[in-house]
Amino acid sequence: MVDVDELVAAARVVRLPMRVRFRGITAREAVVFEGPAGWGEFGPFPEYDDAEAALWLRAGIEAAYEGFPEPLRDAVPVNATVPAVGPSRVPEILARFPGCRVAKVKVAETGQTLAQDLARVAAVREAMPDGAIRVDANGGWTVDQAERAIARLLEGGPLDYAEQPCAAVEDLAEVRRRLGGACDVAADESIRRTDDPMRVAELGAADVAVVKVAPLGGVRSVLDVAAALKAAAGVRVTVSSALDTAVGLSAGIAAAACVPEGNAAGLGTGGFFTADLGEHPLVGGALRVRAVAPTEAQLAAVEVTGERRDWWLDRLRRCHALLQ
């Protein structure tokens, strides 16, 4: 394990402003550091406790000190991501995802209604008539609400899948049973925020697993989980972003390039930032496999000092102690 003082000495704390509110925030903070294999990122959301956040640090250390496995492909298709915006903003959002033929639409946002969700999804269907639609509720519905909402959404056309309609794994299994194959169910938080990601397979709770590198502890951990879910229950995998900077996104792209299935990945989130630590150009709806190395100018433009920097470095030290 790399020495914590070495990590702290290399650490740069950054804050990336965002174009739209996403996941309840308007700026993304993270720590990035360079090691012998490249750059790594440590950016768990502030509400995560140290035990959960430590996995994010493990992923960053893997990237900076071990590097990634050899990819199976040199580019990965991605989905567009539509936050909980009004219908009038949908064309503007989709324009940031040139060539994408799959869109993931946020639904069940706190304070919003099903009518607003239906209008947003309808606007995406209109703007992308030949595309596939995914919806993501982030566990925001009860079982009954999920059943009703998905039925209403299906009236407008098919869904590729409904992601994390309910919070509990048992509820996902019940929603999947009630849907009876009318719509696939995907698990996200039930994979990345649990001690036992295999429980989704054991309960028959999902057709798809949405996996993210940082919350699972690294690219190799993602590939292990993906292989186990496939073997146990035929669950297919979508690799997604944890709203990563360009540094963290490099790890997500590496993982997606190693997954046998070519499922459109949820990695097209770089366009949400007004400034970033590098570029992953979206060409023809796909991202090429490449790692970024931030320049000093890019780092200085978004670097955080003072109390927020101290807060992040203290958190890094605590999480590192849990990895020992």
Side-chain angles (χ1 to χ4, degrees):
M1 174 65 67
V2 59
D3 184 77
V4 68
D5 290 331
E6 181 178 340
L7 285 178
V8 170
R12 307 289 290 269
V13 181
V14 298
R15 179 181 176 87
L16 308 186
M18 299 174 62
R19 301 179 192 279
V20 295
R21 179 178 292 273
F22 188 82
R23 207 186 171 281
I25 61 175
T26 56
R28 184 73 168 102
E29 291 185 349
V31 183
V32 294
F33 45 84
E34 187 178 15
W39 284 79
E41 176 175 319
F42 172 61
F45 294 103
E47 67 270 23
Y48 291 3
D49 65 25
D50 288 351
E52 186 171 1
L55 291 172
W56 297 59
L57 181 57
R58 180 186 294 165
I61 291 172
E62 177 195 60
Y65 286 83
E66 298 179 48
F68 306 126
E70 284 296 314
L72 301 178
R73 57 188 70 85
D74 60 9
V76 295
V78 301
N79 64 236
T81 302
V82 181
V85 297
S88 64
R89 295 200 62 188
V90 165
E92 164 208 337
I93 299 293
L94 291 178
R96 299 182 194 141
F97 300 92
C100 290
R101 305 311 309 151
V102 181
K104 182 169 83 168
V105 187
K106 292 290 184 178
V107 295
E109 183 86 353
T110 300
Q112 293 192 6
T113 65
L114 177 57
Q116 289 172 294
D117 292 339
L118 293 169
R120 184 180 312 113
V121 173
V124 175
R125 292 190 192 279
E126 182 178 359
M128 191 184 283
D130 298 322
I133 308 295
R134 301 167 173 171
V135 295
D136 181 9
N138 287 118
W141 289 322
T142 65
V143 171
D144 289 341
Q145 288 171 336
E147 183 182 19
R148 288 194 298 270
I150 293 169
R152 291 290 306 280
L153 288 163
L154 288 171
E155 291 173 4
L159 295 173
D160 188 32
Y161 55 70
E163 182 176 329
Q164 201 70 40
C166 306
V169 178
E170 295 83 357
D171 290 346
L172 291 186
E174 176 61 16
V175 169
R176 185 168 179 257
R177 186 192 67 77
R178 292 190 189 185
L179 290 174
C183 176
D184 283 349
V185 172
D188 177 7
E189 288 87 348
S190 293
I191 299 291
R192 64 181 171 86
R193 302 198 71 180
T194 177
D195 293 332
D196 183 13
M198 293 305 297
R199 196 152 178 266
V200 166
E202 292 166 2
L203 295 181
D207 305 280
V208 180
V210 179
V211 294
K212 301 178 181 180
V213 169
L216 287 175
V219 171
R220 290 168 180 82
S221 293
V222 162
L223 299 180
D224 288 345
V225 169
L229 288 169
K230 184 73 172 181
V235 177
R236 62 189 190 277
V237 162
T238 296
V239 177
S240 190
S241 165
L243 200 57
D244 309 301
T245 76
V247 169
L249 202 59
S250 298
I253 296 169
C258 291
V259 172
E261 303 123 331
N263 201 10
L267 298 171
T269 54
F272 288 132
F273 302 124
T274 61
D276 205 343
L277 301 178
E279 295 184 358
H280 289 287
L282 187 58
V283 179
L287 297 171
R288 294 194 65 79
V289 179
R290 60 184 293 270
V292 301
T295 66
E296 180 56 35
Q298 288 169 328
L299 289 162
V302 294
E303 190 160 15
V304 172
T305 59
E307 291 183 1
R308 287 306 293 170
R309 180 178 187 275
D310 294 343
W311 185 89
W312 274 102
L313 296 185
D314 286 345
R315 193 183 195 194
L316 187 154
R317 287 185 179 278
R318 295 196 309 270
C319 291
H320 184 274
L322 295 177
L323 294 179
Q324 294 291 78

